[in-house]
Amino acid sequence: MQSSYSPGISLLHRLHPLTKLAAVALLLVLLYILPGEWGSLLLFAFVLILAFTAGVAGSLLRTVLRVILPLAFSLFLIQGILFPPADATPIPLGPITLTREGLLFAYITSARLLAMSAIVLLLLRTTHPADLVYALTQRGLPRSIGYILLVTLQIIPDMSARATAILEAQRSRGLETQRGFLRFRGLVPLISPLVVGALVDVEERAMALESRAYTAPGPKTSLRQLFDSPAQRVVRVLLLLSILALIGWRIAQYFM
């Protein structure tokens, strides 16, 4: 099975999955507490620095921009035109008129989406999905939910790898999938083997689970071993306390 994980030996790779999960939760809380005009970009820059130290900055940046840039463009266009306040400041732009408040809202939303996707992707790039699920099941997460989470984390990279293999097989047989309208025509023969392959994969996973007595009661053993030092446990407690303190402070702001 494919995943978004990039193997490495950096400090981020070696941290316990729950430590990274607690840090991600803290960063996501900070994302909505820091001022939107600059806080999101600072967090994004911080995540890029962490990704650089882990050796995954290039792949993370390419993936995030590939997803966020089209969404940000549509947000700027739609919110700039349709932002509702009657006293919004108009900004004429050729045949259309944008609003300053709409563009500011689109900027804040896009910056938060950019930082949020970078934070989550950094976790996935530096943590093997099986390690993350195993760490959660060790803390009491039901095995069935853990399996669903594991499949969810791997389904998109797995489908992408399968689609790439099918396209390469079609090209080796002379099917043109590179230029103009022929690129869209090449998607039609891609759908059927992709769906059939996904269904076969589901059946194979079900047989593998049954052969390993996945649903049988009793304790389970695992080949994976996670190192969890006392220092990391203390750090996780401090991170969780910081999250509670930030949430409490934010709630108190509404009553002051």
Side-chain angles (χ1 to χ4, degrees), residues 64-218:
V64 168
L65 294 181
R66 191 180 304 164
V67 173
I68 297 300
L69 282 183
L71 182 59
F73 176 77
S74 63
L75 277 173
F76 273 89
L77 186 61
I78 294 173
Q79 296 298 331
I81 296 174
L82 302 179
F83 202 71
D87 57 346
T89 306
I91 302 177
L93 188 63
I96 61 175
T97 299
L98 306 177
T99 62
R100 181 181 179 276
E101 291 76 8
L103 293 177
L104 180 61
F105 177 80
Y107 159 73
I108 293 175
T109 304
S110 301
R112 282 177 173 168
L113 288 174
L114 183 68
M116 183 186 303
S117 57
I119 291 169
V120 175
L121 188 58
L122 179 61
L123 172 67
L124 298 179
R125 288 291 189 195
T126 58
T127 309
H128 196 285
D131 289 339
L132 178 59
V133 172
Y134 179 57
L136 292 173
T137 53
Q138 279 187 319
R139 297 304 189 274
L141 183 73
R143 292 195 300 270
S144 57
I145 298 179
Y147 175 73
I148 293 173
L149 177 61
L150 179 62
V151 172
T152 302
L153 292 174
Q154 294 179 320
I155 189 170
I156 294 179
D158 196 36
M159 293 290 285
S160 177
R162 183 179 289 113
T164 301
I166 294 171
L167 278 176
E168 291 177 351
Q170 290 175 343
R171 291 169 186 165
S172 67
R173 292 172 173 84
L175 180 63
E176 179 60 58
T177 60
Q178 296 287 340
R179 295 194 298 260
F181 177 74
L182 295 177
R183 176 181 298 179
F184 297 98
R185 191 180 69 178
L187 294 178
V188 177
L190 170 66
I191 296 174
S192 177
L194 190 61
V195 172
V196 172
L199 294 176
V200 171
D201 189 50
V202 169
E203 182 180 5
E204 291 177 350
R205 290 181 188 180
M207 295 172 62
L209 291 176
E210 289 297 329
S211 67
R212 295 170 185 173
Y214 186 79
T215 57

Side-chain angles (χ1 to χ4, degrees), residues 14 63 65 88 118 124 145 220 232 246 250:
R14 298 195 305 269
T63 303
L65 294 181
L124 298 179
I145 298 179
K220 302 292 182 180
Q232 290 198 62
L246 287 172
R250 188 63 173 178

